[in-house]
């Protein structure tokens, strides 16, 4: 895309000619105040959609966000032969997998979205064969799929690689104890889906335990899978012959919730998320409190209010697998910390190149030094609107959040990333008082 090559002045020239280049414009906004509703979690939705390959019949999923990643996954499942109806107004998705017959995912579909790799386990379980392309690296890191492939091999899948194409077929499939070197979300999900139909008992040890993984487990259990989770981080799956279609409402998106709470925090406002999944956002909420913000949690564990302080203080965060500080919330929080009094420290340990927004925030007047995996942020009094470039889904949102408090206008290109991750978040922010417009 053009985003990497335009200098600031060239982009302003282009923007002056009209929205030939899609962009977000954010003007300095008053403290955001009010109530907002959430949609379902993108990352739970994507994997749950692939899990339907394990079934033959019509499944109904509710609370499905109509973002571009979900649209791409619909196209991918349709390419494999699924019949799909999706209403982006009611967020209900109906998937009929009876006629699914293809097990090849073309390169261009893999390149659109790395989550496409999550079809591999279900395709191997259904057809004994899967052909995908290597998703390759992306801007936030190399993101290999070696944990997926090595462990499929341990379970009796023969993997052949021809250039960018990865072909897998089952041979003497056997349940095994699989020890993950790192609790990879995608590897845990892919292997678990394959194991639901593998005879015997598979154990995934050092498994990822993200809330989105648990939502997938809930769906697989509704299908009839036998799955148990025990300490230490072990998922035990006993294979069954057949899985049946499901109806399921996807969990609320903790990343969308985090974005809205940071919008309240950074503008010194007040936000209420009646559906806010506080039970799965503990680390973020604790960090807000450390900064001086007041957090109120509904006793049920669902429902969050933030009353922001006008004088937040610096804190340290270090990203980690759940229940540590989520890497997907790191960019949002960095935006908030640019204005916190003192020196904050943000260490990114999950992806090796996920601090690119630091450079863009610096263009807005933030004082940030990046050393290896750590950003040192000296709080400033004021940010200033300018043109910035979004490098990934979460960075696009972090720049919007910074734009809310920057003097003047912030324009953000790389809107493609924003649209991949969120449905109508700009409208929700606007309803809370934000001056934000998406030009397409
Ligand atoms: N990794 C390997 N080998 C593998 C798999 C992972 O080295 O075979 C490494 C990755 O390179 C990374 C780390 O392990 O450094 C963690 O990766 P993980 O597999 O956990 O991430 P993922 O499954 O590719 C999902 C989300 C990401 C989220 C991460 C971490 C989906 C579709 N994506 O990715 O979401 O950041 O887990 O929680 O579920 C986003 O929504 O913006 C996003 C990037």
């Amino acid at each position: 895309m053009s985003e990497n090559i335009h200098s600031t002045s060239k982009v302003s020239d282009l923007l002056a000619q009209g929205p030939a280049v899609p962009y977000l414009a954010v003007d300095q906004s008053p403290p955001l105040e009010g109530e907002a509703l959430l949609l379902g979690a993108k990352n739970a939705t994507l994997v749950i959609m692939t899990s339907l390959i394990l079934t033959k019949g019509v499944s109904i999923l509710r609370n499905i966000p109509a973002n571009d990643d979900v649209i791409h996954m619909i196209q991918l499942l349709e390419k494999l032969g699924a019949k799909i109806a999706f209403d982006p107004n009611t967020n209900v998705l109906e998937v009929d997998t009876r006629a699914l017959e293809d097990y090849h995912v073309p390169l261009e579909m893999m390149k659109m979205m790395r989550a496409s790799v999550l079809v591999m386990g279900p395709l191997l379980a259904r057809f004994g064969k899967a052909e995908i392309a290597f998703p390759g690296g992306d801007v936030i890191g190399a993101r290999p799929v070696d944990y997926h492939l090595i462990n499929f091999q341990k379970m009796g899948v023969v993997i052949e690689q021809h250039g960018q194409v990865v072909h897998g077929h089952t041979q003497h499939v056997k349940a095994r104890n699989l020890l993950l070197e790192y609790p990879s979300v995608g590897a845990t999900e892919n292997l678990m889906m394959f194991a639901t139909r593998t005879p015997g008992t598979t154990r995934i040890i050092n498994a990822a335990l993200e809330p989105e993984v648990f939502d997938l487990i809930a769906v697989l259990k509704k299908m009839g899978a036998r799955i148990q989770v025990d300490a230490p981080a072990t998922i035990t799956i006993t294979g069954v012959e057949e899985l049946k279609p499901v109806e399921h409402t996807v969990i609320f998106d903790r990343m969308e919730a985090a974005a809205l709470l940071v919008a309240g925090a950074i503008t010194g406002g007040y936000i209420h998320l009646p559906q806010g999944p506080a039970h799965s956002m503990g680390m973020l909420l604790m960090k807000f409190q450390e900064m001086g913000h007041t957090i109120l949690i509904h006793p049920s564990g669902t429902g969050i209010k933030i009353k922001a302080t006008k004088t937040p203080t610096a804190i340290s965060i270090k990203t980690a697998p759940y229940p540590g500080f989520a890497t997907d919330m790191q960019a949002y929080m960095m935006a908030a910390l640019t204005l916190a009094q003192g020196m904050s420290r943000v260490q990114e340990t999950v992806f090796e190149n996920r601090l690119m927004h630091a450079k863009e925030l610096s263009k807005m007047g933030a004082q940030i030094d990046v050393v290896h995996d750590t950003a040192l942020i000296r709080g400033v009094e004021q940010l200033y609107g300018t043109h910035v470039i979004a490098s990934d889904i979460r960075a696009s949102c972090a720049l919007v959040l910074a734009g809310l408090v920057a003097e003047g206008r912030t324009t953000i290109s790389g809107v493609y990333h924003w649209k991949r991750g969120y449905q109508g978040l700009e409208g929700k922010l606007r309803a809370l008082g934000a001056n934000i417009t998406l030009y397409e």
Side-chain angles (χ1 to χ4, degrees):
M1 274 188 72
S2 53
E3 61 207 37
N4 295 324
I5 50 170
H6 293 309
S7 70
T8 304
S9 60
K10 279 184 185 152
V11 170
S12 347
D13 292 347
L14 277 172
L15 297 185
Q17 291 163 18
V21 180
Y23 69 103
L24 280 152
V26 187
D27 290 303
Q28 190 170 20
S29 304
L32 263 51
E33 285 184 4
E35 192 173 295
L37 298 180
L38 304 173
L39 276 164
K42 167 182 78 77
N43 291 342
T45 299
L46 294 172
V47 70
I48 288 169
M49 287 174 73
T50 72
S51 77
L52 301 180
I53 296 172
L54 295 163
T55 67
K56 282 186 188 156
V58 182
S59 290
I60 296 172
L61 302 179
R62 300 182 206 282
N63 210 18
I64 299 302
N67 57 47
D68 283 358
D69 271 9
V70 168
I71 303 301
H72 291 147
M73 187 59 87
I74 289 174
Q75 289 164 348
L76 194 162
L77 292 179
E78 282 177 339
K79 150 72 178 72
L80 298 179
K83 303 272 176 287
I84 300 189
F86 181 43
D87 182 344
N89 299 310
T90 59
N91 301 99
V92 177
L93 177 74
E94 205 176 292
V95 183
D96 180 349
T97 51
R98 280 173 297 189
L100 209 127
E101 53 177 17
D102 194 356
Y103 53 87
H104 304 85
V105 183
L107 180 65
E108 59 278 13
M109 283 191 160
M110 289 296 305
K111 294 283 175 203
M112 292 255 214
M113 179 181 53
R114 286 185 46 90
S116 318
V117 76
L118 298 173
V119 298
M120 188 154 186
L123 287 177
L124 286 168
R126 179 158 178 162
F127 299 113
K129 292 182 225 173
E131 194 176 288
I132 63 163
F134 252 111
D138 69 16
V139 70
I140 64 175
R143 301 184 78 180
V145 289
D146 51 337
Y147 305 150
H148 305 234
L149 300 184
I150 290 166
N151 289 295
F152 280 137
Q153 281 173 324
K154 285 188 182 161
M155 294 179 77
V157 178
V158 177
I159 304 279
E160 285 160 22
Q161 211 181 305
H162 303 286
Q164 298 203 67
V165 175
V166 182
H167 180 87
H169 65 271
T170 53
Q171 208 177 59
H172 312 303
V173 169
K174 49 192 175 296
R176 292 282 299 265
N177 285 346
L178 308 172
L179 177 58
L180 297 187
E181 200 173 318
Y182 185 89
S184 154
V185 172
T188 300
E189 294 169 339
N190 227 348
L191 295 165
M192 179 163 58
M193 290 189 283
F194 182 52
T196 57
R197 296 274 302 275
T198 301
T201 298
T202 301
R203 278 185 200 81
I204 306 174
I205 305 155
N206 197 23
L209 299 176
E210 265 64 7
E212 293 76 18
V213 174
F214 276 92
D215 207 28
L216 171 65
I217 292 176
V219 167
L220 294 171
K221 282 184 162 176
K222 282 184 190 175
M223 290 177 180
R226 291 176 58 199
I227 303 178
Q228 193 180 313
V229 184
D230 297 292
T234 301
I235 302 180
T236 304
I237 309 112
T238 305
V240 295
E241 287 270 307
E242 201 189 341
L243 294 172
K244 54 182 190 301
V246 284
E247 274 198 49
H248 184 73
T249 302
V250 170
I251 53 169
F252 289 113
D253 193 347
R254 61 193 172 115
M255 307 312 166
E256 189 187 28
L260 289 160
L261 293 174
V262 173
I266 201 168
T267 58
Y270 166 85
I271 305 281
H272 178 204
L273 305 176
Q275 303 148 326
H279 47 83
S280 64
M281 297 179 71
M283 191 61 80
L284 176 76
L285 300 181
M286 186 176 89
K287 291 293 171 182
F288 277 142
Q289 285 171 327
E290 271 182 38
M291 291 174 76
H293 301 300
T294 302
I295 299 291
L296 301 169
I297 299 173
H298 191 275
S300 66
T302 300
I304 309 170
K305 289 178 186 168
I306 185 166
K307 284 185 196 167
T309 173
K310 307 274 183 205
T311 52
T313 50
I315 56 159
S316 290
I317 61 171
K318 179 177 175 178
T319 65
Y322 189 82
F325 194 97
T327 172
D328 289 349
M329 298 177 187
Q330 176 261 106
Y332 309 165
M333 200 55 155
M334 190 187 295
L337 293 177
T338 60
L339 296 162
Q341 289 166 8
M343 179 74 90
S344 294
R345 198 184 137 94
V346 172
Q347 189 181 0
E348 171 58 55
T349 75
V350 179
F351 290 107
E352 65 274 25
N353 193 24
R354 212 180 197 183
L355 294 171
M356 290 176 75
H357 40 280
K359 188 166 146 242
E360 302 306 303
L361 291 168
S362 299
K363 290 182 191 165
M364 299 175 74
Q367 284 197 12
I368 310 179
D369 285 321
V370 175
V371 185
H372 305 299
D373 65 352
T374 301
L376 297 171
I377 305 152
R378 184 178 296 283
V380 293
E381 291 284 318
Q382 183 65 55
L383 296 177
Y384 300 92
T386 184
H387 181 72
V388 286
I389 301 164
S391 51
D392 74 76
I393 293 174
R394 309 305 168 187
S396 71
C397 186
L399 297 172
V400 164
L401 295 168
L404 295 173
V405 280
E407 199 178 293
R409 170 166 282 210
T410 302
T411 52
I412 303 154
S413 60
V415 164
Y416 156 80
H417 296 291
W418 173 266
K419 294 187 63 186
R420 281 186 57 193
Y422 312 98
Q423 177 191 358
L425 183 54
E426 64 280 4
K428 292 183 191 182
L429 291 169
R430 209 178 301 119
L432 297 167
N435 296 316
I436 176 171
T437 311
L438 172 60
Y439 292 99
E440 300 188 75

